[in-house]
Amino acid sequence: MANVVVVGSQWGDEGKGKIVDFLAHDADVIVRFQGGSNAGHTVVTKKATYVFHLIPSGILSRGKLCILGNGVVIDPGALIEELDFLQGQGIKIGRNLAISPRAHLIMPYHKAIDKAAEKAKGARRIGTTGKGIGPAYVDKMARLGIRIGDLLAPEVFRHKVEENLVEINSFLRRVYNAKGFIAEKVCEEYLPYAERLKQFVADDSLLLHRAMESGQSVLFEGAQGTHLDVDLGTYPYVTSSNACAGGACTGTGVGPTKIDAVLGVTKAYTTRVGSGPFPTELSDDVGEGLQERGQEFGATTGRPRRCGWLDAVVLRYAVRVNGFSSLAVTKLDVLDGCRHLKIAVGYRHAGKLYKEMPSDLHILSECEPVYKVLPGWFASTTGVSSYRALPVEAKRYLACIEGLTGCPIDIISTGSGREQTITLRNPLTRTRPRVKVPRASA
């Protein structure tokens, strides 16, 4: 059994929730390692559709331990709301959930700063969800953060809130002309959360160490995607945490030598929510068709996602910085009916050809994609669960992705349901024989 990190290879929304839920059957522990309730992982089962914002998608699988790692920032009110919703749906949550005492809290003033800052930027806005994620990480790095463990110690919590608000209230009033917060009211809202959450608080690093030492398999669930990583993404149009595979170690207290594989999740095309460069974006009927067929609207915000052709330059970068062992390709069925398909194999800018992603955001924003054109297919792939049953053109398309990225495909998703999945090899068990996908040259 292996310990596997699941990471988005584009700008998030790749379908990681479904992939984690699908793989959770063969894992013992599922741990979320970064981000906050700005994430939206959708899982469709025969019974219902679930949208997860904080709790790992693996909670739907019985007998699995799900952990919120120290790298996650937690809005306790949002977490309790999610717990109540899932329990109302008949999902049992008790000893199968653990929360790191080192995870930082999202406070009411973080949300206020987030919304005020975004509004003040005007046309330069980043496109945040306004849920306080960024300001919570700012306080964490400034060593002003308040953690889950502090919430369990009322006097410690109260003291930290009072100290922080001296500076925060002044900042809100002077910079954004916004109302400040009263420490006592914040404490009245937050301290009762401790009673509900204390049963779940446990040392995530120790739990994971013991699980691995006993031979159990751990699935690390990332949120957002590679190109939203605060260090390696299209900065400043990024999230505030490390969404790349390296964040799995720092966000859970697990050493890199304990990771056996990294699975990159990619859509068969490309989407992005919010502002920022997007070289293969389609602002025509084709893009609208992808958006409509793919139901490309944010699970957390409902915002429409920008859609475009698959970008192999974006994927190659993700393969490199994450060290992907393999790929999971989702939403292949959305491409059904396309006469031609395009994959960006490079960019042109000011007469120069780029085969790799430029780090200069100004250049990236002005790049024109260089496309490889492939024939599409008209047969339906929706629900296909056998590689052999795919149209030959779909197989060639997948082979082209492997050739352009140098990374093998292990999983293909042909719909939102669990059963609508083709497994060429299971990265967790490594027991199922891999079906050979025809190679295509880059």
Side-chain angles (χ1 to χ4, degrees), residues 2 90 115 125 146 167 219 251 359 430:
K115 292 173 183 176
R125 63 185 181 276
I146 301 176
E167 183 176 331
L219 193 59
S359 58
R430 301 181 179 180

Side-chain angles (χ1 to χ4, degrees), residues 316-354:
R316 279 198 298 270
Y317 179 86
V319 170
R320 171 161 54 90
V321 300
N322 289 289
F324 287 156
S325 314
S326 59
L327 294 172
V329 178
T330 63
K331 293 199 171 184
L332 183 70
D333 55 304
V334 175
L335 298 181
D336 292 354
C338 291
R339 183 177 298 275
H340 299 290
L341 300 171
K342 296 182 180 181
I343 301 178
V345 296
Y347 304 141
R348 288 195 186 279
H349 180 268
K352 181 178 179 180
L353 177 64
Y354 289 83

Side-chain angles (χ1 to χ4, degrees), residues 142-186:
R143 299 181 293 276
L144 297 172
I146 301 176
R147 307 196 293 181
I148 286 285
D150 299 323
L151 187 62
L152 304 186
E155 291 310 311
V156 173
F157 179 82
R158 190 181 304 276
H159 176 70
K160 288 192 172 185
V161 169
E162 290 172 349
E163 278 199 332
N164 285 1
L165 284 182
V166 172
E167 183 176 331
I168 293 293
N169 283 341
S170 177
F171 177 75
L172 281 168
R173 291 172 183 138
R174 292 185 179 183
V175 177
Y176 297 118
N177 194 29
K179 291 176 61 177
F181 289 82
I182 300 171
E184 189 56 40
K185 288 188 176 181
V186 173

